[in-house]
Amino acid sequence: MTDLEKTLSERIAERAASIEPGRNARNRAAFILIRADVSKAVDDGYSLFAIWETLREEGRIPYTYQTFRRHARVLLPPRPSRSEKWTGK
C-alpha cells in the first residue's frame, strides 16, 4: 500500500511510531494502526483478551493487556451494552 492509499490517521501513526516519541505515544500509534482489525474482531465476537494475545504473539503490539484495554476503551467506537442488545434500545 502506498502512502497515498493510507488514511491520514495511519500515516500519522506510522510517523509517530518511527520517531522517538514517549512510550505512550508509541503505544497509541501502534493501536491506531490496528484499530480497524481490532474493531472487526470485537464485532465478530472475540474477547479483547483473545485479540490482545494474538496480536502480541504476532509481534504487532509490544504492550500489556491493561494498556491494550485502555486504548480500546478510548479509541474504539462505543458498543451497545448487553441490555441494549436484548431490549433493542
Side-chain angles (χ1 to χ4, degrees), residues 35-48 51 76-80 85:
R35 178 174 38 191
D37 290 340
V38 173
S39 185
K40 173 82 169 88
V42 169
D43 288 344
D44 290 343
Y46 293 100
S47 70
L48 283 178
I51 297 165
L76 290 180
R79 307 250 184 263
K85 287 181 184 177

Side-chain angles (χ1 to χ4, degrees), residues 6-66:
K6 297 176 184 175
T7 66
L8 177 58
S9 293
E10 289 171 331
R11 294 190 318 266
I12 292 169
E14 285 178 352
R15 181 178 172 277
S18 69
I19 58 177
E20 285 298 320
R23 182 182 64 218
N24 293 339
R26 213 174 24 249
N27 290 344
R28 182 180 179 92
F31 188 89
I32 289 170
L33 288 173
I34 60 168
R35 178 174 38 191
D37 290 340
V38 173
S39 185
K40 173 82 169 88
V42 169
D43 288 344
D44 290 343
Y46 293 100
S47 70
L48 283 178
F49 184 79
I51 297 165
W52 169 80
E53 198 170 40
T54 302
L55 292 169
R56 178 89 178 202
E57 286 175 7
E58 293 173 351
R60 292 181 67 190
I61 54 170
Y63 43 82
T64 65
Y65 177 60
Q66 289 77 16

